[in-house]
Amino acid sequence: MRSSLKALMQKTAIAAAVSLACAAPFAAHANETGLSDGIIIKYKQSSKVGHGAKLAQDTIDKASQRAGHKLRHKRRMASGAQVMRLEGRKSKAELKKIVERLKQDPNVEYAEPDLIMRPMAIPNDPSYWNQWHYWESTGGLNLPSAWDVTQGEGAVVAVLDTGYRPHHDLKDNLLPGYDMISNTFVSVDGNGRDSDATDPGDWHTDNACQSNDPRDYESDSSWHGTHVAGTIAATTNNNIGVAGVAYKAKVVPVRVLGRCGGLTSDIADAIVWAAGGSVSGVPKNANPAQVLNLSLGGEGACGSAYQTAINTARSLGATVVVAAGNDDDYASRYTPASCDGVITVAATDRDGGRAYYSNYGNAVDMAAPGGAQSFINDSNGILSTLNSGTRSPGSDSYYYSQGTSMAAPHVAGVAALLYSVDPNLTPDEVESVLSNTTRSFPSSCSGCGAGIVDAAAAVAAVTGGGNTGNSSSLVETNVAGASGSWLTYQIEVEPGMSSLDIEIYNDNGEVDLYVQYGSSPSKSNYDCRPYEWVEETGGYNTESCSFNNPSAGTWYIALHGYEAFNGLTLTAEAKP
């Protein structure tokens, strides 16, 4: 997203016609996660307490007094740590406060909540395992861990596209939409704007769009909007077909593309309408969307019509996600990819590198799986809902496609997951979370923005698994992440501090610690990146960074999952 601080070139008028940006078991709700009545306390070897199979009552009483809650001793763990129980289950925030108080005991080596783990939310849809773009560690979106927290409940996404087909694997998540196409040649259905957003097909004959242009050849109907909508919110866990990114979110289909594409004037009006704004002659949208997906674009810099509409949508609280384009060119040369205030998405392939067709450059904010195929319907593309008809609608089908059109709905879906967790997020906050929690590209992707969107890391940042707030001290326990994931935290250091000490300890998996002042660190930019081998555990399980007389301001702490990890404890403290 580009704000006034990231202004690009002076915007000029654009061509009126716009084309598709397409290259040919149980999950816990967010407010239940972290609930537990248990505390794990490990006393230091040098202390004279806390090492036996049974704890002295005096030790239990002192721990209870420090915790501010009555504790009961349950058992000693194999590691020597002691399991204690509270009188009732506490929230994650309450547990954090209890743990912080217990750690003030000089005899305590560490203390952490005995959290309840739940099954990973893996869908039962038979073709889910063909959707590599959701779960593969190299090029995927890291969705399963995000689904353990939220599946998009309560969020609404508007899909501005060719309309929709009432696909059996999608229709349950569709809300009433609108057909915003005013030109009857483009609309195909023989009329102008109306409340029927179904897709009649967008096929055309040779030279129908541009006379005597050898590139303007006959084309079958694309059913593009149905494919995009399926990626965002296909019905999931119904033992049919595919899964959607935010499969409990709802989709408002807005038809803006038809034969030969769509008009800027129609699309601009649709942006306003979808976000809940007023459009003359059109009834107001009863379900204003928090996220708008525009998998479309055309040549030219962003014009006033688009920019005004986008500004209006943002003022109404909507996050606008757009495709970067498929011309292997600078995205700044295309619209709405070059507009201010949008999240512009490049496409990556199965190896996590830039797809050969994807646009790139400074206008791109981030990337997501878009696929890269060697032949039509190649499984290295993005699998979603479609229709079998060549011109008029046929039967429901599924199809692998590729394009930044396929990348954008992955990001729109993750944005919906964030709104499901916190509906009060602003568009700027959504972009910030998505950008700051991306993971680095495993293959070459120059000009692809901050990184590949990481659904689990983004959701964790909003729910508290990743801290986007500021404090003079920080304690995070039982942190988990996938291989390749990035979790980002912040600590605010006041003027005059004599030291800043940051440490991680991890029981399972391998994690890299990065610290940088003033901005989020990366693999190539950091102020501290320690490597420490711990002989007792046989792995890189403890790392620390210390700074004398640290600069006042925000320090950023990033955890990179070299391997999948869990049970990690992070502490950071600035001392006077």
Side-chain angles (χ1 to χ4, degrees):
M1 181 182 293
R2 283 147 309 283
S3 65
S4 58
L5 297 177
K6 299 163 64 180
L8 299 173
M9 62 169 65
Q10 174 107 23
K11 305 301 185 286
T12 58
I14 60 171
V18 178
S19 62
L20 301 180
C22 173
F26 174 81
H29 192 274
N31 61 10
E32 295 175 345
T33 59
L35 288 175
S36 175
D37 64 351
I39 300 289
I40 300 171
I41 305 175
K42 176 69 180 296
Y43 288 93
K44 295 177 181 177
Q45 289 294 330
S46 58
S47 70
K48 297 180 180 181
V49 298
H51 302 300
K54 293 184 178 181
L55 286 182
Q57 188 61 46
D58 180 60
T59 301
I60 298 172
D61 291 343
K62 288 181 178 178
S64 297
Q65 185 177 11
R66 189 176 292 275
H69 294 266
K70 187 176 181 179
L71 294 167
R72 292 180 295 111
H73 181 247
K74 297 298 291 182
R75 63 183 178 85
R76 181 181 185 272
M77 297 175 64
S79 63
Q82 305 290 348
V83 180
M84 312 286 273
R85 283 288 177 261
L86 297 157
E87 289 185 303
R89 293 201 303 170
K90 308 297 180 184
S91 68
K92 185 173 182 178
E94 290 174 304
L95 288 170
K96 182 176 179 179
K97 292 177 182 178
I98 293 169
V99 164
E100 288 175 346
R101 289 193 288 265
L102 289 169
K103 293 179 74 171
Q104 292 172 8
D105 184 345
N107 291 319
V108 170
E109 180 179 329
Y110 67 82
E112 61 186 51
D114 191 6
L115 293 179
I116 297 170
M117 299 290 106
R118 303 184 186 274
M120 294 286 283
I122 302 301
N124 61 24
D125 306 76
S127 291
Y128 166 73
W129 296 109
N130 296 323
Q131 294 179 287
W132 59 266
H133 37 101
Y134 290 172
W135 54 268
E136 281 192 356
S137 59
T138 303
L141 203 63
N142 195 17
L143 266 173
S145 294
W147 284 334
D148 280 341
V149 179
T150 176
Q151 301 88 44
E153 303 93 326
V156 178
V157 182
V159 176
L160 282 64
D161 215 291
T162 65
Y164 74 96
R165 294 309 309 163
H167 197 290
H168 67 288
D169 208 11
L170 176 62
K171 62 183 180 181
D172 288 347
N173 283 338
L174 295 174
L175 293 171
Y178 211 81
D179 181 353
M180 296 294 287
I181 300 177
S182 58
N183 184 295
T184 55
F185 172 81
V186 175
S187 71
V188 181
D189 60 7
N191 55 42
R193 294 181 173 181
D194 57 37
S195 60
D196 182 6
T198 55
D199 186 351
D202 56 357
W203 63 275
H204 62 81
T205 58
D206 287 345
N207 298 316
C209 304
Q210 299 184 54
S211 299
N212 301 316
D213 186 341
R215 297 170 297 177
D216 184 17
Y217 49 85
E218 182 174 345
S219 176
D220 291 336
S221 292
S222 67
W223 317 115
H224 189 268
T226 299
H227 196 282
V228 169
T231 295
I232 294 170
T235 308
T236 303
N237 286 320
N238 60 349
N239 284 301
I240 298 173
V242 296
V245 173
Y247 57 79
K248 288 188 179 179
K250 298 298 183 183
V251 169
V252 173
V254 188
R255 188 166 180 252
V256 296
L257 301 176
R259 182 186 286 129
C260 301
L263 296 171
T264 292
S265 55
D266 288 340
I267 297 169
D269 277 352
I271 291 171
V272 174
W273 183 86
S278 297
V279 176
S280 179
V282 178
K284 203 161 187 178
N285 178 12
N287 301 285
Q290 296 148 305
V291 185
L292 276 55
N293 187 93
L294 282 75
S295 288
L296 51 81
E299 290 187 65
C302 185
S304 296
Y306 267 129
Q307 193 61 64
T308 301
I310 290 165
N311 293 345
T312 300
R314 281 173 48 80
S315 72
L316 294 168
T319 294
V320 184
V321 180
V322 305
N326 305 311
D327 296 276
D328 187 22
D329 196 1
Y330 289 106
S332 58
R333 297 174 178 172
Y334 298 82
T335 191
S338 61
C339 293
D340 291 336
V342 302
I343 298 176
T344 299
V345 184
T348 50
D349 57 24
R350 198 164 183 171
D351 294 326
R354 183 172 72 89
Y356 66 89
Y357 53 79
S358 178
N359 286 354
Y360 52 85
N362 292 334
V364 172
D365 295 297
M366 59 196 68
Q373 299 172 306
S374 299
F375 51 87
I376 294 175
N377 206 23
D378 177 351
S379 61
N380 288 316
I382 305 302
L383 182 62
S384 188
T385 48
L386 207 75
N387 190 277
S388 66
T390 55
R391 291 193 172 186
S392 299
S395 59
D396 293 343
S397 66
Y398 300 90
Y399 200 79
Y400 291 97
S401 294
Q402 67 176 19
T404 56
S405 278
M406 283 65 252
H410 283 79
V411 177
V414 176
L417 296 179
L418 300 186
Y419 277 114
S420 175
V421 172
D422 184 355
N424 296 316
L425 289 169
T426 67
D428 283 340
E429 288 171 337
V430 170
E431 190 274 340
S432 179
V433 169
L434 291 173
S435 181
N436 289 336
T437 57
T438 56
R439 60 187 180 88
S440 57
F441 297 105
S443 297
S444 177
C445 202
S446 178
C448 295
I452 299 176
V453 168
D454 187 313
V459 169
V462 174
T463 59
N467 181 15
T468 57
N470 299 323
S471 63
S472 58
S473 65
L474 177 67
V475 178
E476 292 289 335
T477 58
N478 279 321
V479 180
S483 174
S485 64
W486 284 84
L487 300 180
T488 304
Y489 303 80
Q490 299 174 19
I491 181 169
E492 189 72 17
V493 176
E494 297 180 358
M497 294 292 104
S498 63
S499 66
L500 171 60
D501 298 305
I502 301 162
E503 184 177 56
I504 60 171
Y505 177 82
N506 185 41
D507 280 332
N508 185 18
E510 190 170 331
V511 186
D512 297 330
L513 172 65
Y514 294 80
V515 180
Q516 183 163 271
Y517 172 73
S519 62
S520 296
S522 65
K523 284 188 175 181
S524 57
N525 292 294
Y526 51 82
D527 293 328
C528 178
R529 167 65 188 98
Y531 296 86
E532 295 184 12
W533 180 262
V534 182
E535 292 292 344
E536 301 88 74
T537 59
Y540 291 93
N541 283 12
T542 302
E543 294 187 354
S544 62
C545 290
S546 295
F547 302 89
N548 294 322
N549 303 312
S551 298
T554 304
W555 287 74
Y556 293 79
I557 305 164
L559 306 178
H560 174 241
Y562 187 81
E563 298 175 352
F565 66 94
N566 56 55
L568 181 142
T569 298
L570 163 67
T571 62
E573 185 176 11
K575 298 178 181 179

